[in-house]
Amino acid sequence: MSRSSIFGFGSFFKEENAFNDVDLLIVHEDSSAASCRLAILCKKRLVELMDRAHVTMLSEKEEQQLDFIQKSGAVEIGQVVDLTAEAEIERIVVGLRKRVRAIGRKANPDHRAAIVSTCPQVDPASRGESEPGAVGEGGFGPAAVRVHVSG
Amino acid sequence: MAAYSENFPWPNSYGHFNFFEQRMQAHGRVHELALLGDGLYQITRPDGSVLRVFVCECYAYGVAQYAETVQNLGHLDAIIISSVWCGYTNELKLERRDQGVGVFKIAEFMGALYHKDFWRYLTAEQRDYFREKGLIQ
């Protein structure tokens, strides 16, 4: 069974009220065809479901060589295994959309329009939803968010 | 970071890689350069051999990215990373090098074009590094 870890990095995961892109990193197990196939599937679905998603794919060995997670300050937002990939990716995207909504609430009106265009179905101005809690505001539950700490 | 488009295969916002095109057009071992679209170029060398070269800007180009590129574009002779702050992985470079596909940054590709077996080209620093790591002989 192949497995991939999904990480987020860049302004979307760091800024409170603005972002340019949703930068995502898929770390897959190795350079085997099956492992690459799962990573490509994950990338395809993430780009389909999340506007402005920019996805990088690296095997575990490649990530270690580049030290990408540490250098980019990436945070893990989920794990995907091949048999349940679709459902897990959708859960990750729900988290990302929650974060879009949280950022949209804090943004000034000019930025809000651009942010909402990323995810129009969660227009913060058009919904009377209550403010999410501290963890939910980030868009991911506590079990899903694990900040990577390098040795 | 890199200025790529939202969708595969990340050509820059103008659809051209101007710096790459300028360098190739001025290169003594490039007879003709043709843009095929989507970051794909065809380079004709003075001996008449033709190379299919994919140019992209991405943070880090690895084995899965290569698999996706070939899945979308078919056979490639070389992958060129055009941005100075982006790169490729050692795993991909050495794996493809053994299969006759070159993986380079633009400056490296400039040097590689002087060699018939261009895909094997390594800079002196790379050769030392890979030897030290025991990754090449």
Side-chain angles (χ1 to χ4, degrees), chain B residues 59-99:
Chain B
Y59 299 148
Y61 195 95
V63 290
Q65 212 83 72
Y66 174 79
E68 184 195 39
T69 307
V70 172
Q71 194 175 294
N72 281 281
L73 299 178
H75 171 77
L76 297 166
D77 296 298
I79 305 291
I80 312 299
I81 310 302
S82 94
S83 171
V84 291
W85 53 80
C86 299
Y88 53 78
T89 65
N90 291 340
E91 187 175 6
L92 176 69
K93 183 174 183 70
L94 295 177
E95 189 181 284
R96 288 302 104 199
R97 184 172 180 261
D98 288 341
Q99 301 298 320

Side-chain angles (χ1 to χ4, degrees), chain B residues 13-32:
Chain B
S13 51
Y14 304 105
H16 283 258
F17 292 92
N18 293 335
F19 182 72
F20 171 77
E21 291 176 10
Q22 288 163 8
R23 295 282 80 75
M24 291 302 105
Q25 281 159 354
H27 199 290
R29 298 296 176 94
V30 173
H31 176 66
E32 191 175 39

Side-chain angles (χ1 to χ4, degrees), chain A:
Chain A
M1 182 184 295
S2 288
R3 172 183 53 78
S4 289
S5 299
I6 316 293
F7 294 79
F9 63 99
S11 60
F12 181 76
F13 295 90
K14 290 173 184 162
E15 304 297 329
E16 290 194 348
N17 57 8
F19 66 93
N20 293 317
D21 308 311
V22 180
D23 287 311
L24 301 169
L25 166 68
I26 298 170
V27 178
H28 56 101
E29 287 178 304
D30 52 45
S31 62
S32 68
S35 183
C36 290
R37 206 163 36 239
L38 176 62
I40 293 167
L41 169 71
C42 291
K43 177 184 172 181
K44 183 170 180 284
R45 291 298 288 147
L46 286 166
V47 170
E48 282 171 355
L49 294 171
M50 193 72 203
D51 284 352
R52 288 157 72 177
H54 287 171
V55 183
T56 298
M57 300 180 284
L58 293 172
S59 70
E60 290 177 5
K61 188 175 165 187
E62 290 175 320
E63 192 288 317
Q64 284 168 15
Q65 179 225 321
L66 298 173
D67 199 14
F68 195 102
I69 293 170
Q70 174 71 10
K71 286 178 180 171
S72 66
V75 294
E76 187 173 345
I77 59 174
Q79 291 203 355
V80 174
V81 293
D82 46 11
L83 294 178
T84 57
E86 289 282 338
E88 288 164 15
I89 288 170
E90 284 176 15
R91 186 192 61 75
I92 289 168
V93 170
V94 167
L96 294 172
R97 287 176 175 169
K98 281 183 184 172
R99 177 144 182 85
V100 170
R101 188 164 60 228
I103 292 172
R105 283 198 182 93
K106 292 178 181 175
N108 69 42
D110 292 339
H111 285 151
R112 184 175 298 140
I115 290 168
V116 168
S117 73
T118 298
C119 204
Q121 64 273 47
V122 293
D123 178 352
S126 68
R127 289 187 172 197
E129 296 176 9
S130 58
E131 285 291 324
V135 173
E137 198 168 9
F140 305 97
V145 178
R146 278 180 282 164
V147 178
H148 178 88
V149 179
S150 175

